[in-house]
Amino acid sequence: MNRKLLFSLIAIALVAVIGGGMAARKKPEGGPGGGPPGGMGGPGGPGGFGAPAVVTTQPVAQGEIEVWSEFVGTLQARAFADLYAKIPGQIVEMRAETGDRVRQGQVLARIDAGDLRQRVEQMEAALRMAQATLTERRSTLEVNQANADRSSALFAQQLISQQQQDTVQAELLKARAQVQVAQAQVEQARANLGAARAELEKTLIIAPFDGVIGKRHLDRGAFATTNQPVFSLVDLSTIKTTIPLTQKDAARIQVGQQARVTSDAFPGVEFRGQVARIASIFDPNTNTTEAEVEIANSDGRLKPGMFATVSISYLTEPTALLVPKTALVEDERETYLFVAEKGPAPDGKGEAWTAKRVPVLRIGAGSEERRNEVAIEGDVQAGQPVITLGQQELRDGATVVIAGSARPATPAG
């Protein structure tokens, strides 16, 4: 036997062995009885086949709700300002740090005054000199006024000549003019001092309102310019957000209405706010206007830049249909729930529960006592059992077993 024929026989033998092993391991389809496979894919499972899904239900209730509109906005500080040096120079004193609470008018930093302080001192000295000169001129005027009074009396008695009388009156007029000049000099010196002090005040960075130092951008010793902020100051006592309003929303929302605000940063926490102002002009491109909602934030938990959901109530409905929040299933296209309906079992023996998929519209929230319920509109009636647990993988028409009730009969194998 040659080598080529030997290799061929070995290959044929290996193929036969492998094929026989695979056939021996292959099980009949559908399990031991040859029927359809069990599990989630069989009849009655979430996909319509297999063991029915076990679910919980709760009947649709009726009660009072608040009908509201919901908006998403970005939080902003009520007041925000970047504080700059008014004149360039080196920062020689820093009186506030990031996170400090400051008051309106408080000095936060000081720039090197250079020659400005000396100039103020010179202007102060010039004002004092002008005031002293004015005092001297007024004294001279008083003396000349007394001389003029005596001269007039003597002249009336013809005890002095007209020339003497004229000389005395001329001195009086001169003294009055000198007082006026001295007064003008005082006013000029005071104005010069005010200007010098104003220039010196420019070396101070002052808080324009009560707030918190959001960030200190420069350190002591750094050179401050007029186009680089030294501090960022924010007022966090009240936070605001701007929300868009359609024509329908603008017609039913008014200034002063209360708002409920939530943020993903604080799950389960609800903040109270109110509509502070509404713009009276609609954007022709979006056909919307804007409203500002202000939220009290005394503890400073809410920060500018956070996203928030704003709910504004505009109507109370006393007999709305209410379902648990857990009953709703939401996707990108719609919101729906499953109603449990009782009917003939798939095998025709007895009855079974099936899940009916019903699209609904979420229109509001329950009262304070019914926070876990939402109001809906749709093909649902009060008292119908809606599935609250186990519905995420259900399909319309799937057979289900309600927890605590008898399991429906299953088809024989």
Side-chain angles (χ1 to χ4, degrees):
M1 182 182 295
N2 58 33
R3 182 177 298 179
K4 184 175 181 181
L5 179 58
L6 178 61
F7 285 161
S8 297
L9 292 174
I10 292 174
I12 293 171
L14 288 174
V15 170
V17 171
I18 294 173
M22 293 180 63
R25 289 195 303 268
K26 186 175 181 182
K27 293 182 180 180
E29 292 188 3
M40 302 296 282
F49 300 95
V54 179
V55 299
T56 61
T57 64
Q58 187 169 321
V60 177
Q62 277 190 310
E64 182 178 286
I65 61 132
E66 290 179 307
V67 182
W68 39 258
S69 292
E70 190 173 273
F71 311 88
V72 176
T74 302
L75 299 181
Q76 301 171 310
R78 180 172 63 177
F80 173 87
D82 282 330
L83 307 183
Y84 298 80
K86 295 179 180 178
I87 58 173
Q90 187 179 33
I91 300 175
V92 294
E93 186 178 5
M94 189 69 73
R95 301 184 184 179
E97 297 293 335
T98 299
D100 286 354
R101 292 185 177 274
V102 298
R103 307 290 295 178
Q104 181 179 357
Q106 181 176 333
V107 175
L108 307 180
R110 184 167 61 85
I111 307 298
D112 183 15
D115 297 332
L116 293 178
R117 190 174 300 280
Q118 183 178 358
R119 182 184 174 191
V120 168
E121 293 172 354
Q122 291 174 345
M123 293 299 103
E124 290 174 341
L127 176 59
R128 290 193 296 270
M129 183 177 296
Q131 289 172 332
T133 300
L134 176 60
T135 300
E136 180 184 357
R137 294 289 187 263
R138 284 174 174 168
S139 297
T140 301
L141 175 60
E142 290 176 0
V143 172
N144 281 275
Q145 183 66 58
N147 290 338
D149 293 342
R150 287 193 298 270
S151 176
S152 295
L154 295 173
F155 182 73
Q157 298 174 16
Q158 297 184 348
L159 297 178
I160 61 174
S161 64
Q162 181 66 49
Q163 182 178 3
Q164 290 175 315
Q165 171 68 0
D166 292 343
T167 300
V168 172
Q169 293 296 323
E171 289 295 325
L172 176 61
L173 293 175
K174 179 181 177 182
R176 287 175 177 170
Q178 289 176 337
V179 168
Q180 292 178 345
V181 171
Q183 286 177 331
Q185 290 174 339
V186 168
E187 293 174 0
Q188 181 63 51
R190 187 174 286 117
N192 291 340
L193 176 59
R197 285 176 174 171
E199 286 298 311
L200 181 61
E201 190 172 329
K202 290 181 180 180
T203 64
L204 303 178
I205 299 176
I206 299 174
F209 52 81
D210 295 351
V212 176
I213 301 297
K215 186 175 182 180
R216 176 177 57 78
H217 298 275
L218 296 177
D219 296 322
R220 179 177 178 273
F223 190 86
T225 63
T226 56
N227 59 1
Q228 181 183 11
V230 180
F231 298 101
S232 292
L233 179 64
V234 293
D235 178 5
L236 297 179
S237 61
T238 300
I239 290 290
K240 68 178 183 179
T241 184
T242 301
I243 58 176
L245 299 181
T246 63
Q247 292 186 22
K248 186 177 181 180
D249 289 331
R252 60 194 183 189
I253 293 176
Q254 299 178 351
V255 172
Q257 278 185 273
Q258 296 300 303
R260 292 187 285 188
V261 181
T262 58
S263 172
D264 291 341
F266 306 102
V269 179
E270 187 175 275
F271 300 87
R272 293 288 179 174
Q274 69 173 12
V275 180
R277 54 195 64 85
I278 299 175
S280 54
I281 299 177
F282 279 78
D283 186 332
N285 296 321
T286 62
N287 201 29
T288 61
T289 188
E290 290 183 338
E292 281 190 6
V293 175
E294 292 187 345
I295 307 106
N297 188 41
S298 58
D299 57 6
R301 282 192 292 175
L302 296 176
K303 300 293 191 296
M306 287 181 174
F307 290 107
T309 300
V310 181
S311 302
I312 301 176
S313 173
Y314 58 86
L315 178 66
T316 299
E317 172 59 53
T319 58
L321 296 176
L322 299 173
V323 299
K325 292 180 180 178
T326 56
L328 298 183
V329 182
E330 297 179 298
D331 59 25
E332 296 179 356
R333 295 174 297 175
E334 63 179 346
T335 299
Y336 58 92
L337 52 73
F338 285 94
V339 174
E341 294 185 333
K342 201 168 189 179
D347 62 350
K349 298 178 181 179
E351 294 181 325
W353 289 98
T354 58
K356 178 183 177 183
R357 187 179 188 272
V358 180
V360 295
L361 177 65
R362 182 173 175 169
I363 62 170
S367 62
E368 290 294 325
E369 295 77 19
R370 311 185 75 158
R371 283 172 171 255
N372 294 323
E373 295 178 319
V374 293
I376 60 166
E377 288 181 351
D379 187 16
V380 179
Q381 297 180 0
Q384 281 187 299
V386 293
I387 297 175
T388 57
L389 182 64
Q391 77 276 38
Q392 295 296 332
E393 300 298 329
L394 286 181
R395 294 185 183 178
D396 188 28
T399 303
V400 297
V401 173
I402 299 176
S405 66
R407 181 178 294 269
T410 56

